[in-house]
Amino acid sequence: MALDASQNLEDAELLARFAQGDRAAAQVLTARLAPVVYAQAFRMLGDRAEAEDITQDSLLRLWHAAPDWQAGQAKVTTWLYRVTSNLCIDKMRKSNRQSSDAVPEMPDDGPDMERRLQDSARAQALRAALSDLPDRQKQAMVLRHLEGLSNPDVAQIMQISVEAVESLMSRGKRSLADALAPQKKALGLEDDG
């Protein structure tokens, strides 16, 4: 099958075609899913190299699962989010370090430098606060708010109820608010009223 023709196929169909030996389907699926997996891993780990490793490992697991894939049981992306989350949690537990230790990027003197510095400081503060959350809260917060998934999707990925997701989210939001409260003024997040 031509690469262009497979662009419009669903993930499950591409995975099935890969299982049958279609390399073009694998290329399309990799191009489609790798950036999503990398973004999730980076948000959870805060380290580019580790996120790249997790992306490779997640996609390898998908390729190994392809021959036994049961279409209709789970969406490919849901399965992949779950695998990626679990790999990230395993990595965090093994390394037992915080992602806030990463070296920040050096700013340049281009336009809007002050705005970019403030955005960078906010992102770094959020990563630091996220890294202090318990693993399950962090996973729920990343999937829901940074990856933009719905509560039912997060529940399916984490294999818990929607109510449990909502509880994790509520506790996570309170913890983040408490952690970021002392920095509100420095981060330019003070309320006007």
Side-chain angles (χ1 to χ4, degrees):
M1 172 187 290
L3 194 59
D4 291 340
S6 58
Q7 295 285 346
N8 297 326
L9 296 176
E10 296 289 323
D11 294 343
E13 177 63 24
L14 288 169
L15 192 59
R17 288 178 186 230
F18 166 75
Q20 297 169 356
D22 185 345
R23 297 246 183 253
Q27 289 176 324
V28 170
L29 199 54
T30 299
R32 186 182 294 173
L33 298 177
V36 173
V37 172
Y38 175 82
Q40 178 191 4
F42 181 72
R43 287 179 178 136
M44 288 188 74
L45 300 172
D47 183 280
R48 294 181 197 287
E50 288 179 357
E52 289 171 1
D53 290 344
I54 295 293
T55 300
Q56 289 178 350
D57 197 9
S58 296
L59 290 174
L60 278 173
R61 289 178 188 221
L62 179 63
W63 303 138
H64 289 297
D68 301 320
W69 188 261
Q70 299 291 321
Q73 283 193 337
K75 290 178 10 181
V76 172
T77 51
T78 301
W79 184 90
L80 202 52
Y81 272 120
R82 183 181 312 135
V83 167
T84 303
S85 291
N86 290 339
L87 289 171
C88 288
I89 289 170
D90 289 347
K91 180 69 122 176
M92 289 184 293
R93 287 179 180 156
K94 284 179 185 173
S95 67
N96 199 19
R97 65 166 188 74
Q98 296 183 351
S99 63
S100 62
D101 294 338
V103 177
E105 293 182 20
M106 296 302 295
D108 64 22
D109 294 330
D112 297 318
M113 184 181 77
E114 184 177 331
R115 171 67 182 226
R116 285 185 294 164
L117 284 172
Q118 187 174 52
D119 289 346
S120 176
R122 287 176 180 171
Q124 187 174 12
L126 179 60
R127 278 194 305 273
L130 273 171
S131 72
D132 290 337
L133 292 178
D135 291 340
R136 300 292 280 175
Q137 284 180 23
K138 179 178 182 177
Q139 181 182 17
M141 297 294 286
V142 166
L143 290 171
R144 178 69 179 99
H145 291 293
L146 300 178
E147 296 299 328
L149 299 176
S150 68
N151 284 354
D153 287 341
V154 174
Q156 186 177 6
I157 290 165
M158 295 181 70
Q159 297 178 318
I160 57 177
S161 68
V162 172
E163 292 78 16
V165 169
E166 291 169 353
S167 176
L168 285 170
M169 298 295 300
S170 178
R171 291 192 316 263
K173 285 179 184 178
R174 280 194 304 271
S175 294
L176 287 176
D178 290 346
L180 295 173
Q183 304 173 59
K184 281 178 100 170
K185 183 176 182 180
L187 296 174
L189 299 173
E190 288 188 306
D191 296 331
D192 292 333

